[in-house]
Amino acid sequence: MRDPARSVLVIIPTYNEAENIEAALVRVMKQPQHMDALVVDDGSPDGTARLVRGLMERFPDRIGLLEREGKLGLGTAYLEGFRLALEKDYHCICEMDADLSHNPGDLPRLAQPVVEDQCDMAIGSRYIDGVRVVDWPLSRLVLSYGAGLYTRLVTRLPVRDVTAGFVAYHRRVLETLDLSRVKSNGYSFQVEMKYRAWKKGFRLLEIPIIFTERTEGKSKMSPAIVREAAWKVWEFRLRDLLGKL
């Protein structure tokens, strides 16, 4: 029987991740610390959801699937996953990409400080203790690192990897934040969640990880996502100054 005080749920948003999702889920299931997984699929036409349903039979009661109509975005996928995790009484809720750029083997290191109440939010960081990114072109690395400097300058957020998407939350963070007010949907969603948690006084801890560029499928990065992130940080800062965050 799952111990509610130590239960961990890994939320994995997907869109056209048929080439990666089975390997990602099997590796989550094989972690030494018991973890469940929830896939939030945005109507992937490549059969991602079908593959997940097959694994649900192999790992009964450990994998869930939330199927949505159309491509609704990263932020809303996580928000729906968060609400379901809270309803199911999970203690630690993790975010992880489906493309194996986040190593499932790092999940125990990410979840442990949250489960043991050493922090409220653990961040798998590419930029703590050096740069830990494999197989990115220099232009992508400069964009990512520069975006972090820009965001920290605007928001004063004391996090090196502000756009990190490999994160573990204590349930109290998601219970305290008004999730209905979180409107970002791309990479700025990751900034907004960290910023809101920090402003509420929660303890944020960066855990060094190695981030490896996907080898299968296509990246979801786009110019529109970059533009959203660039102006959203000013919105966060302004709303905070006006007391409307």
Side-chain angles (χ1 to χ4, degrees):
M1 186 175 184
R2 173 161 60 90
D3 179 0
R6 302 185 66 82
S7 58
V8 179
L9 179 68
V10 182
I11 302 175
I12 307 175
T14 55
Y15 182 75
N16 284 348
E17 291 291 353
E19 295 170 291
N20 298 302
I21 191 60
E22 289 181 299
L25 284 172
V26 168
R27 289 177 65 182
V28 172
M29 294 297 100
K30 290 185 175 180
Q31 293 309 305
Q33 180 180 355
H34 180 92
M35 297 178 179
D36 296 334
L38 172 66
V39 175
V40 184
D41 185 66
D42 272 5
S44 299
D46 70 346
T48 297
R50 173 179 52 81
L51 296 173
V52 174
R53 285 192 290 271
L55 284 174
M56 291 170 69
E57 297 180 4
R58 181 177 170 186
F59 299 98
D61 301 322
R62 292 193 60 196
I63 297 176
L65 173 62
L66 179 59
E67 295 185 72
R68 308 199 301 170
E69 295 292 335
K71 193 174 181 181
L72 303 178
L74 178 77
T76 61
Y78 274 128
L79 292 175
E80 289 196 42
F82 292 161
R83 294 185 181 102
L84 186 60
L86 294 177
E87 289 175 9
K88 298 294 185 180
D89 295 326
Y90 283 94
H91 176 87
C92 175
I93 299 95
C94 300
E95 301 176 354
M96 191 185 85
D97 288 351
D99 61 9
L100 296 173
S101 55
H102 300 145
N103 181 359
D106 287 329
L107 280 166
R109 290 199 303 120
L110 199 66
Q112 181 180 1
V114 173
V115 170
E116 296 182 354
D117 204 22
Q118 298 170 10
C119 68
D120 302 302
M121 185 177 186
I123 301 162
S125 178
R126 298 163 292 184
Y127 303 126
I128 197 77
D129 297 335
V131 176
R132 297 167 175 265
V133 178
V134 177
D135 291 337
W136 263 8
L138 181 59
S139 59
R140 178 80 182 273
L141 181 60
V142 170
L143 175 63
S144 174
Y145 196 81
L149 291 174
Y150 167 80
T151 299
R152 294 200 305 275
L153 178 64
V154 174
T155 64
R156 307 294 192 269
L157 180 62
V159 173
R160 299 283 296 181
D161 195 350
V162 294
T163 60
F166 198 26
V167 180
Y169 299 87
H170 192 288
R171 67 175 289 116
R172 71 170 70 97
V173 177
L174 304 179
E175 288 173 325
T176 301
L177 299 182
D178 184 352
L179 298 180
S180 68
R181 298 177 68 88
V182 178
K183 302 300 182 183
S184 304
N185 210 19
Y187 283 89
S188 56
F189 169 81
Q190 303 294 358
V191 179
E192 181 169 1
M193 289 298 294
K194 295 176 184 66
Y195 189 63
R196 287 181 178 275
W198 173 57
K199 296 303 290 187
K200 284 289 186 180
F202 287 112
R203 299 165 296 166
L204 278 58
L205 175 66
E206 289 188 84
I207 307 293
I209 63 159
I210 295 176
F211 180 97
T212 304
E213 176 66 338
R214 67 162 65 231
T215 58
E216 304 291 344
K218 295 182 178 180
S219 172
K220 308 303 189 293
M221 175 65 77
S222 71
I225 290 174
V226 174
R227 288 194 296 270
E228 181 198 27
W231 69 262
K232 273 287 187 180
V233 295
W234 287 101
E235 178 185 328
F236 304 152
R237 181 64 172 158
L238 181 59
R239 289 176 67 85
D240 183 30
L241 291 173
L242 295 176
K244 296 181 179 181
L245 186 63

